[in-house]
Amino acid sequence: MLRAIFIPKMARTVATDELPLPKLLDGERITYVEQENEYNVANRVPSGLEAMELLAKAKNRKQIGDFGPVLASLSLSVHGKDPAFHLYEAVFGRDSLRTAYDLIEYYPKLAKSTLLALAAVQGVMFDTAREEEPGRIPHEVRDPRSDPRARMLSETLGWGWPYYGAVDVTPEFVRTLAAYCRLVPGGAAILNEAYTGRDGATHVLSDALLAAVEWIQGRLSANTEGLLEFKRSNPNGLPNQVWKDSWDAYFHADGEIANHEQGIASIEVQAAVYDALLDVADLCENCLNKRSQAVELRRTAERLRLVIMELFWDEHERYFVLGLDRDKAGKIRQLKVMTSNMGHILHSRVLAGDQPDQIERREAVIRHLLSPAMLGLNGIRTLSNKEIRYRPGAYHNGSVWIWDNYFIAQGLSVLGYHNLAHFIDDRLLADITATRRFPEYLRGDNDPDRRLNSRIVRAWDKNNQLENTIEQPPQDIQAWSVASILAIHIRRQHGQHQTTDPVKLALEQELLAPYRAS
């Protein structure tokens, strides 16, 4: 049984001054507003270790990983059984892998148990209700016999379980397994770890790895441009099968929703696939005695890199667009909106080289990310405040996600921009200090106070003929938020790297000067 997360009687409150209702787009009207209870928060900054123990169902740090993957989130006891704060108390493939990846050097047992658990539910057949495909790693793992939310999703949307509707989880599985082999002493032995698959047979993790790669390669080879696109097979499945899975997160500059009748390719997914292909090539060459396959994987990765650089780059504004959709005739169109997704490419080897084009593009992306349009008090916004669908309290269209910022900061550090990485990390630590929790996300406005949504606001969208939740409270304790903050603290205990390259240092000083002056 999980221990409850309690709020001490002595508490202070995050700023909850009355906020104006979110702006409405053409064709929208407010249909529902519910003000949640005030956000009472503890007097002390929460312990990342304690939160991680709760999410991992562990009684102490040594048990983290003993009971499989972490839950995606938990609620504070002050919210009782309010369903708005209990949405994700289950295993989500993406969240559990991201959490395991960020802590892999400190809690390798968590990564190992996560990989084995997800391999055990890897897809083995084609099933529309589950959106299952052979080799695919699931998005969400629930048991409808004991989980009322699973039953609700099955009854209202026809979902089967596990539910596989995500395209980024499988490459993240590959990357996490490769990272374990690379970073954990003797880690390559994990490839021989046995598990029982959904087919009832005994396999080893190298089988799951190769099945995942086969799924990725199958998707790429079936695509005209060689991209990994998403398009739901269950008509009531998630329309956006990536981490920004809100139905309205993918759109054009004029606000028109992307065409979900055709495939959609997201920039950060392509970067993750590129890295996954290179990771598997290394494993094939060094651990699996599959040298010819390694050569082909690197060729595929290079073709993908060239496509990313050509199709996703907006030469006029000089940034990587959110993604690509297709018109009714199947012709590629850029989704020319500025999002935090472009920051994920800084964490990828796509821009890690020293070619002039790579250097110029990553510096351009960094400038955009540190601009006032993208960077607010709480961190880098999911969506630029200049875009038509920007709303500071929107789930993926203007809010600030801690894991998203941490991932970008990690990329900056890998590229040698350590001072920029520390700057973003400092904002994330301040977010935790102010909110006294590990929230799923914070608001993305420029107020002097760090704010969390404290209400539910729904609007009828006449143009798209549906009711849209345009504001909702975040989950209280989100696993990948906890992992991000815990990783920052652990790294800082071992000292911080400083920027030494004079060219990079000059760019950092230029970009940080306005924020330090204020």
Side-chain angles (χ1 to χ4, degrees):
M1 178 180 292
L2 288 176
R3 291 167 282 162
I5 303 177
F6 291 102
I7 296 294
K9 291 182 179 179
M10 295 180 63
R12 72 175 193 81
T13 303
V14 180
T16 55
D17 299 337
E18 189 69 26
L19 289 171
L21 288 172
K23 74 171 185 179
L24 296 178
L25 306 179
D26 290 342
E28 290 184 335
R29 61 178 174 83
I30 298 292
T31 57
Y32 178 86
V33 178
E34 177 184 340
Q35 183 68 42
E36 297 292 332
N37 294 330
E38 285 191 342
Y39 267 96
N40 295 316
V41 288
N43 285 322
R44 69 180 178 90
V45 177
S47 163
L49 180 56
E50 291 175 2
M52 186 54 58
E53 289 170 356
L54 289 164
L55 290 157
K57 306 178 187 177
K59 294 181 179 179
N60 55 62
R61 64 185 301 174
K62 292 182 179 180
Q63 289 187 345
I64 293 175
D66 282 351
F67 308 105
V70 295
L71 300 175
S73 69
L74 287 173
S75 174
L76 295 169
S77 61
V78 70
H79 297 305
K81 295 183 179 180
D82 186 339
F85 296 92
H86 295 272
L87 296 177
Y88 309 125
E89 294 176 352
V91 171
F92 282 68
R94 181 187 303 116
D95 301 56
S96 61
L97 287 167
R98 184 77 255 152
T99 299
Y101 189 100
D102 287 341
L103 299 175
I104 202 165
E105 295 181 82
Y106 317 116
Y107 298 99
K109 187 166 53 173
L110 177 62
K112 182 177 180 179
S113 63
T114 299
L115 289 163
L116 286 167
L118 292 178
V121 289
Q122 185 176 33
V124 296
M125 65 181 72
F126 291 95
D127 183 279
T128 300
R130 293 191 296 267
E131 304 209 47
E132 179 180 1
E133 298 169 9
R136 195 176 196 179
I137 302 297
H139 164 64
E140 188 171 348
V141 182
R142 295 181 185 269
D143 185 347
R145 295 171 298 180
S146 58
D147 188 330
R149 183 166 176 80
R151 291 195 295 273
M152 181 274 291
L153 290 169
S154 295
E155 292 166 3
T156 59
L157 300 177
W159 287 15
W161 301 100
Y163 177 65
Y164 292 80
V167 295
D168 53 341
V169 182
T170 305
E172 290 299 337
F173 175 84
V174 171
R175 296 186 65 215
T176 305
L177 179 51
Y180 187 94
C181 294
R182 184 174 65 250
L183 298 173
V184 177
I190 195 175
L191 295 171
N192 296 316
E193 287 284 338
Y195 67 92
T196 302
R198 278 174 55 78
D199 58 0
T202 299
H203 302 274
V204 293
L205 269 180
S206 61
D207 297 330
L209 172 70
L210 296 176
V213 174
E214 186 174 350
W215 180 84
I216 293 171
Q217 289 179 303
R219 284 294 192 103
L220 296 179
S221 62
N223 185 269
T224 306
E225 288 74 26
L227 296 167
L228 182 56
E229 294 182 332
F230 61 82
K231 179 187 174 185
R232 61 188 176 186
S233 58
N234 180 336
N236 293 316
L238 288 173
N240 292 320
Q241 303 201 338
V242 285
W243 91 263
K244 290 183 178 176
D245 53 11
S246 303
W247 76 273
D248 59 349
Y250 282 74
F251 60 94
H252 290 273
D254 62 359
E256 178 192 356
I257 297 297
N259 180 17
H260 290 88
E261 298 304 313
Q262 303 268 4
I264 298 173
S266 190
I267 177 61
E268 84 288 352
V269 173
Q270 315 315 310
V273 170
Y274 174 76
D275 287 327
L277 292 170
L278 294 181
D279 284 340
V280 179
D282 290 342
L283 289 176
C284 284
E285 191 170 69
N286 300 319
C287 302
L288 300 174
N289 195 28
K290 294 180 179 291
R291 289 177 174 80
S292 61
Q293 189 169 345
V295 171
E296 182 55 37
L297 286 165
R298 291 193 178 102
R299 286 175 180 162
T300 302
E302 179 58 17
R303 288 195 295 270
L304 178 58
R305 187 188 71 82
L306 294 174
V307 172
I308 292 171
M309 299 290 274
E310 177 185 357
L311 296 184
F312 288 82
W313 182 250
D314 184 325
E315 184 61 33
H316 182 257
E317 296 294 336
R318 299 198 60 75
Y319 75 102
F320 286 100
V321 299
L322 168 60
L324 310 172
D325 79 341
R326 298 174 185 272
D327 63 17
K328 293 181 179 179
K331 183 180 179 181
I332 285 284
R333 306 181 297 184
Q334 286 188 331
L335 301 175
K336 292 187 177 183
V337 289
M338 194 172 294
T339 65
S340 62
N341 299 54
M342 66 177 169
H344 291 209
I345 207 167
L346 300 175
H347 199 283
S348 167
R349 280 162 281 183
V350 170
L351 291 184
D354 56 5
Q355 296 298 315
D357 192 35
Q358 292 173 304
I359 295 172
E360 290 172 7
R361 291 192 184 193
R362 69 184 179 226
E363 288 184 353
V365 168
I366 291 169
R367 286 183 180 278
H368 282 301
L369 292 172
L370 271 291
S371 70
M374 287 297 299
L375 181 65
L377 174 69
N378 298 327
I380 297 170
R381 301 181 181 93
T382 45
L383 179 68
S384 164
N385 64 11
K386 295 183 179 180
E387 301 293 349
I388 192 169
R389 284 191 173 272
Y390 166 76
R391 287 187 270 231
Y395 198 60
H396 289 128
N397 285 339
S399 56
V400 172
W401 287 61
I402 290 174
W403 92 268
D404 185 29
N405 275 251
Y406 178 65
F407 192 70
I408 293 170
Q410 282 182 302
L412 288 166
S413 186
V414 168
L415 292 171
Y417 297 94
H418 299 295
N419 295 328
L420 291 180
H422 300 330
F423 174 76
I424 294 172
D425 286 348
D426 285 343
R427 295 213 163 192
L428 302 182
L429 294 174
D431 292 340
I432 302 305
T433 300
T435 62
R436 300 294 203 272
R437 67 196 64 213
F438 296 95
E440 188 180 13
Y441 59 91
L442 293 87
R443 291 179 60 85
D445 29 28
N446 282 317
D447 290 354
D449 296 313
R450 284 177 159 81
R451 295 179 182 271
L452 301 172
N453 287 342
S454 61
R455 64 190 175 192
I456 298 174
V457 182
R458 298 192 182 105
W460 174 252
D461 185 325
K462 180 180 178 182
N463 296 328
N464 292 286
Q465 288 294 296
L466 52 74
E467 188 176 54
N468 185 16
T469 301
I470 58 177
E471 196 170 286
Q472 67 188 67
Q475 301 304 290
D476 293 317
I477 308 294
Q478 195 76 11
W480 51 17
S481 297
V482 176
S484 299
I485 300 302
L486 191 55
I488 292 172
H489 282 303
I490 294 173
R491 283 202 338 267
R492 290 192 172 187
Q493 290 173 2
H494 295 88
Q496 297 188 76
H497 294 291
Q498 299 299 321
T499 305
T500 56
D501 184 302
V503 175
K504 294 177 181 178
L505 185 59
L507 177 62
E508 289 182 326
Q509 291 172 339
E510 175 193 343
L511 295 178
L512 293 178
Y515 299 104
R516 288 171 173 167
S518 60

